[in-house]
Amino acid sequence: MDFKSRQIISACSELQLMSESLLSALLAAAVGLSCGGGGSSSVTTPDFSISVAPASVSADVGTTTSPVTISVNPQPGCTGSVSVMLQGVPQGDAASPSSSFSLAAGGSQAITFSVPPSATVGTSSITALATSGSHSHKAQITLIANAIVRTYQIGSVLYLESGSTTDTARIGLQTSWGGSIVEVSLNGTNFVNEHDTGREVQPSYRDGSNQNYNPTLGDLFDQGTPTISYIVEADSLFIQAQPLQWDLTSYGGG
């Protein structure tokens, strides 16, 4: 082999070594710029975690929740993107801006949930699933759909009503009978016999050893106990009354 041939072989060997070094550097850079990337199982890629805040939100049916912030928290060297999907969103509910999206490592996204008027009242569990390459992590979100609650007055009766577009429950308190419960209804069917003061729902302050002593909110003669005061708030009723003896004739009254 002459001198010129040896120079060519030496140059080719140096070029091959340079190519292998360059390829190794590119592979290392690719691994460092991903979260969980693929490739050989012997290569450990940077991981990440996912978090939600707050972990629980609620809304009345027909309204929207406050925001839930979903965040990707990367380990050192994790700089790629992470795909997030919300699983278990109740049928009819909607996640805004979307139930699936991508986040950069270290990024976050605020999500709200719209609860339709026809939604089932109760609690649902939603899973935020984050994946990138071979890594995946989950976080749980609790969504509570509340019934619509309102109060109002018709005549001498105060009402507390709760429900949705499909079901309505209502309680009625008769102020002329000291706040006796004259209605407990579901979808218009009243389960209380409110014919007179002996049939509605009311407290009884009977003395255990004296069966004649029995102050109530309505007496034997269909007369109601005086209502001292009452308060109607957005989601509650309060009545103050003075119970009277059920049968005044037992104590010489009339």
Side-chain angles (χ1 to χ4, degrees), residues 70-131:
I70 301 175
S71 302
V72 170
N73 311 300
Q75 291 182 351
C78 174
T79 58
S81 63
V82 175
S83 297
V84 180
M85 178 176 294
L86 302 179
Q87 301 175 331
V89 178
Q91 185 175 4
D93 291 14
S96 179
S98 177
S99 60
S100 60
F101 49 90
S102 294
L103 287 177
S108 62
Q109 174 69 60
I111 297 291
T112 59
F113 298 95
S114 298
V115 182
S118 58
T120 300
V121 174
T123 301
S124 302
S125 181
I126 298 172
T127 300
L129 174 64
T131 59

Side-chain angles (χ1 to χ4, degrees), residues 19-202:
S19 299
E20 291 175 352
S21 298
L22 180 60
L23 179 60
S24 298
L26 290 174
L27 287 174
V31 169
L33 293 175
S34 65
C35 294
S40 172
S41 60
S42 63
V43 179
T44 302
T45 56
D47 202 352
F48 64 93
S49 63
I50 181 174
S51 61
V52 296
S56 177
V57 287
S58 63
D60 292 343
V61 293
T63 64
T64 301
T65 68
S66 56
V68 175
T69 300
I70 301 175
S71 302
V72 170
N73 311 300
Q75 291 182 351
C78 174
T79 58
S81 63
V82 175
S83 297
V84 180
M85 178 176 294
L86 302 179
Q87 301 175 331
V89 178
Q91 185 175 4
D93 291 14
S96 179
S98 177
S99 60
S100 60
F101 49 90
S102 294
L103 287 177
S108 62
Q109 174 69 60
I111 297 291
T112 59
F113 298 95
S114 298
V115 182
S118 58
T120 300
V121 174
T123 301
S124 302
S125 181
I126 298 172
T127 300
L129 174 64
T131 59
S132 180
S134 60
H135 294 308
S136 65
H137 299 283
K138 298 178 180 179
Q140 297 299 127
I141 303 170
T142 299
L143 173 61
I144 304 171
N146 297 319
I148 299 172
V149 178
R150 66 188 186 112
T151 56
Y152 53 93
Q153 181 172 359
I154 300 177
S156 59
V157 182
L158 306 179
Y159 290 100
L160 175 65
E161 186 175 278
S162 174
S164 62
T165 56
T166 55
D167 296 289
T168 300
R170 188 169 78 166
I171 296 177
L173 307 180
Q174 178 59 265
T175 59
S176 61
W177 292 353
S180 293
I181 299 175
V182 294
E183 181 176 333
V184 176
S185 65
L186 177 63
N187 298 332
T189 300
N190 187 10
F191 299 96
V192 175
N193 183 345
E194 41 81 39
H195 177 269
D196 55 53
T197 56
R199 302 175 191 271
E200 84 285 15
V201 180
Q202 59 175 314

Side-chain angles (χ1 to χ4, degrees), residues 1-13:
M1 181 181 297
D2 58 21
F3 178 75
K4 186 174 184 181
S5 298
R6 288 197 297 270
Q7 283 185 316
I8 294 174
I9 292 173
S10 177
C12 290
S13 298

